Amino acid sequence: MAGDGIERDGIKPGDLVVVTGGGGGFGRAFCQRFARGGAKVAVWDVDARTGEDIAQQVRSEGGEARFFKVDLAQAAEIDAAVRQTLAAYGTPYCVINNASIYPRASVIDMAPDVWKLTLKVNITAPFLILRAFGPGMIGKQRGVVINIASGRALEGAVNGANYACSKAAILSLTKSLALEWARHNIRVNAIIPGVSLTAQPLENTTPDELIERGKATIPLGRLGYPEDMAGLAAFLASPEAAYMTGQGLAMNGGRVLIP
């Protein structure tokens, strides 16, 4: 409790954090950061190799983590992962909707099934996950949701309207759920990453080329790293962010400036 007498809730050792897409990129950094702070981590991923790898790494460092295989395009698998997570650990304190896909094509060339799949994984899955975990979090009257958006939600994307639209929808879900759940002491915020050194931006370039591009185009002179996003996530789950909800926080080195 601070000197002003206000009780500020935040994540505590032993609380559960669910991380979708926990096996790679930002997800690994989220798992490591929260586990090192004493949280239990449920690693959700479609890739058993990378998901089990980070869970094992957390355990090797003395943390508590378990891998749950789930294809977020399949509602039945989401339901199963929710049940398995609740059975193993109980209700989460923090849910990080990190997983997403980014199949690229122009609007004219994009198959309707690709559009539907992108929205299914990137926005419908977070909705289903929060709908499933929500009652337990409301029952405990405490919790944090962190949705991972993208700078493409702010700028749009050539050959990526599907992805940009899905990430803009994540921001709207964040605001709407923040208003619905504020009275239950559940805070809902979003991180809006800029170009970072993860697999997705490297699909059509090399690490060195991406790093040089970052130096030339980002005011702070470098790319983002998963650890940057993990630090912000840790803040959002902490008591220091107890008066923050419904916000989209851009972490992009000054590349895109928002009010």
Side-chain angles (χ1 to χ4, degrees):
M1 183 178 293
D4 53 21
I6 296 174
E7 188 73 31
R8 291 174 171 84
D9 186 44
I11 194 165
K12 298 176 174 64
D15 282 338
L16 173 64
V17 180
V18 175
V19 182
T20 71
F26 295 153
R28 292 182 70 90
F30 294 144
C31 292
Q32 291 171 320
R33 180 64 180 256
F34 281 99
R36 289 167 181 165
K40 300 173 183 176
V41 179
V43 182
W44 284 26
D45 207 290
V46 69
D47 187 328
R49 182 184 60 83
T50 59
E52 187 55 60
D53 179 70
I54 185 59
Q56 177 57 41
Q57 183 176 335
V58 166
R59 292 193 294 268
S60 72
E61 295 176 359
E64 171 66 28
R66 187 177 298 188
F67 168 63
F68 299 87
K69 190 177 189 303
V70 55
D71 180 353
L72 295 183
Q74 306 298 324
E77 292 198 22
I78 293 173
D79 290 342
V82 168
R83 291 195 302 271
Q84 292 162 8
T85 301
L86 291 173
Y89 290 123
T91 297
Y93 174 75
C94 179
V95 177
I96 304 180
N97 285 306
N98 166 68
S100 64
I101 60 172
Y102 191 173
R104 290 170 170 82
S106 70
V107 169
I108 291 174
D109 293 334
M110 187 174 298
D113 285 348
V114 171
W115 175 272
K116 292 175 184 177
L117 178 63
T118 306
L119 297 184
K120 185 179 289 187
V121 173
N122 294 6
I123 183 63
T124 301
F127 158 74
L128 293 174
I129 291 165
L130 296 173
R131 183 173 179 269
F133 283 130
M137 297 171 73
I138 289 171
K140 288 181 175 293
Q141 291 290 290
R142 64 187 297 263
V144 167
V145 175
I146 302 172
N147 294 321
I148 308 305
S150 167
R152 299 301 183 190
L154 307 176
E155 295 185 294
V158 175
N159 295 330
N162 52 334
Y163 182 77
C165 288
S166 72
K167 291 303 186 177
I170 277 287
L171 293 178
S172 291
L173 177 64
T174 298
K175 295 174 185 178
S176 299
L177 200 57
L179 295 175
E180 288 189 21
W181 285 2
R183 64 192 178 96
H184 301 298
N185 195 35
I186 299 171
R187 299 180 289 106
V188 187
N189 292 292
I191 296 174
I192 310 172
V195 178
S196 303
L197 199 60
T198 57
Q200 189 183 91
L202 289 171
E203 289 177 0
N204 298 307
T205 188
T206 67
D208 287 344
E209 289 173 343
L210 192 63
I211 289 169
E212 288 304 313
R213 191 187 312 161
K215 289 179 181 178
T217 61
I218 297 173
L220 285 181
R222 70 169 177 86
L223 299 174
Y225 284 79
E227 292 75 15
D228 294 317
M229 309 309 153
L232 180 52
F235 165 73
L236 289 173
S238 76
E240 283 71 24
Y243 196 55
M244 179 177 289
T245 196
Q247 305 304 310
L249 286 79
M251 179 168 273
N252 56 39
R255 172 67 181 79
V256 178
L257 305 179
I258 62 175

